[in-house]
Amino acid sequence: MAAKSIYAASDTKRRAKAWSTVVGLALLVVVVFVISMNTGYIRLSPLDVGKTLMGFGTDKQELILFQFRLPRIVISVLVGAGFALAGCILQGITRNPLADPGLIGVNAGASLMVILFVALRPSISAAPPYTLPFLAFFGAAAAGATVYFLAYKKSDGVSVMRLILVGIAVQAGISAAIVVLTMRLNPEQYQFAATWLAGSLWGTNWKFVLTLLPWMAVFIPFVLSKARTLNVLSLGDHLSVGLGARLQRERLLLLLAAVALAGSCVAVGGAISFIGLIGPHLARRLVGSRHEILLAASALSGSVLLIAADTISRISDTPTGIIVAIIGAPYFIYLLARAR
């Protein structure tokens, strides 16, 4: 009894510490958000930002803050959280700490649909803003479905190893198709595609915020409600079934949620890599592996990373995806070295 009570007290203490870390991450999002509002080609001091938010700024300051910076920062928050949650889901259902939406071709499928859309239209700006997220979702869903069905066997369903290997193959094939298609674009289309594929947050107005928001509002609560399921799935297939989990059904639902989050984020944020890998990893180091806390910490970590990267990109005139890659590539190499 004494040992059990000590263990319960220790577990409660760990949970309290983890939740305090989540609160700290939320405060960090606010801090980086405020810094990003002050940063850009035309610098606004904290006093200017405060006056503008209260309605006492100049017309120029209101234009810069409300029409250019705020929608872009809000999109950074949403896209960072969406990518990180998608990565956390995939790492949970594959039990692979190096998994992210690019691993099973989700990002590549969404990218292919967007590039096709660009190739078939004379002007990207003429399209309604809600078109791209749906197209990207269908592209991501088609890639995810292809991977799922190629990895499926009647005898044992979808194994983790087959899912990963098939995903890598499908991703490579789609990436090759994107390269071939991009080479056939006219100069104007190519410029947009090249910038978009580099991970530029191109949809930076309130229309795109309102387009992305419903996807986040639907799928983020759904994913958070599946935290215990992810805890069970992370124990392995045989133990999950023994504990009563409907393995294939839950894996499919979570995979669809990851596809929806990643596809909608790719549509607005471009082909940004590594957020889905780094965000969950940082969160796991800070709060542990219980998904009730890990999912929230992953979303906040992804938001912090993308806001910071986008702020640096606005100063350096470099696409956000390049900044994320500069941060993410060394970390990915470090993870591989540790795994070895």
Side-chain angles (χ1 to χ4, degrees):
M1 291 293 292
K4 187 180 290 186
S5 62
I6 292 173
Y7 175 79
S10 176
D11 185 59
T12 302
K13 186 176 180 180
R14 282 197 300 269
R15 285 194 181 194
K17 184 179 179 180
W19 279 115
S20 66
T21 302
V22 171
V23 173
L25 284 171
L27 293 175
L28 184 59
V29 170
V30 174
V31 170
V32 180
F33 195 106
V34 172
I35 292 172
S36 188
M37 285 194 294
N38 299 329
T39 307
Y41 288 117
I42 300 175
R43 189 178 183 280
L44 298 179
S45 68
L47 180 61
D48 291 334
V49 170
K51 288 168 58 178
T52 306
L53 289 174
M54 291 186 292
F56 299 108
T58 65
D59 291 343
K60 181 180 179 181
Q61 290 170 341
E62 289 183 359
L63 178 67
I64 292 170
L65 187 61
F66 290 116
Q67 299 303 319
F68 295 121
R69 289 191 188 167
L70 272 178
R72 182 166 182 149
I73 299 169
V74 172
I75 285 174
S76 297
V77 172
L78 296 176
V79 170
F83 274 132
L85 279 175
C88 190
I89 293 168
L90 294 174
Q91 289 174 17
I93 64 178
T94 63
R95 303 190 303 281
N96 182 349
L98 300 180
D100 77 337
L103 182 71
I104 60 171
V106 170
N107 285 1
S111 299
L112 179 60
M113 286 299 294
V114 173
I115 299 302
L116 276 172
F117 179 77
V118 172
L120 295 174
R121 291 188 67 90
S123 173
I124 189 71
S125 60
Y130 57 79
T131 303
L132 280 181
F134 278 104
L135 288 174
F137 169 73
F138 287 128
T146 302
V147 172
Y148 188 88
F149 287 115
L150 288 176
Y152 183 84
K153 281 190 176 181
K154 289 185 178 180
S155 57
D156 59 347
V158 178
S159 74
V160 172
M161 186 56 65
R162 283 200 305 273
L163 188 70
I164 293 171
L165 293 176
V166 172
I168 292 172
V170 170
Q171 189 270 342
I174 296 175
S175 296
I178 290 173
V179 172
V180 172
L181 184 61
T182 303
M183 293 174 64
R184 298 177 179 274
L185 300 176
N186 65 44
E188 182 182 355
Q189 292 170 332
Y190 180 82
Q191 183 178 5
F192 171 82
T195 304
W196 186 86
L197 287 170
S200 173
L201 291 174
W202 70 280
T204 54
N205 60 54
W206 292 111
K207 289 182 180 179
F208 287 94
V209 174
L210 295 176
T211 299
L212 185 58
L213 198 58
W215 293 80
M216 300 295 108
V218 170
F219 287 101
I220 288 179
F222 173 78
V223 171
L224 295 177
S225 72
K226 292 291 184 179
R228 291 187 178 181
T229 301
L230 281 167
N231 287 337
V232 174
L233 294 180
S234 65
L235 297 175
D237 292 359
H238 295 296
L239 191 53
S240 299
V241 173
L243 291 172
R246 301 173 65 180
L247 184 64
Q248 300 304 325
R249 176 180 178 273
E250 295 297 337
R251 185 175 285 165
L252 179 59
L253 287 174
L254 286 165
L255 187 60
L256 285 173
V259 165
L261 288 170
S264 57
C265 289
V266 166
V268 175
I272 297 175
S273 303
F274 290 114
I275 292 291
L277 173 68
I278 303 173
H281 260 279
L282 292 177
R284 193 173 287 108
R285 283 178 171 272
L286 292 171
V287 303
S289 58
R290 296 180 68 95
H291 284 86
E292 293 90 345
I293 307 171
L294 177 61
L295 288 168
S298 296
L300 293 170
S301 298
S303 294
V304 169
L305 286 168
L306 197 54
I307 296 173
D310 186 57
T311 303
I312 296 171
S313 104
R314 282 189 275 123
I315 299 172
S316 61
D317 198 23
T318 305
T320 306
I322 302 296
I323 302 296
V324 174
I326 291 172
I327 299 170
Y331 189 72
F332 184 73
I333 294 170
Y334 165 73
L335 292 176
L336 287 174
R338 283 203 59 183
R340 182 179 297 178

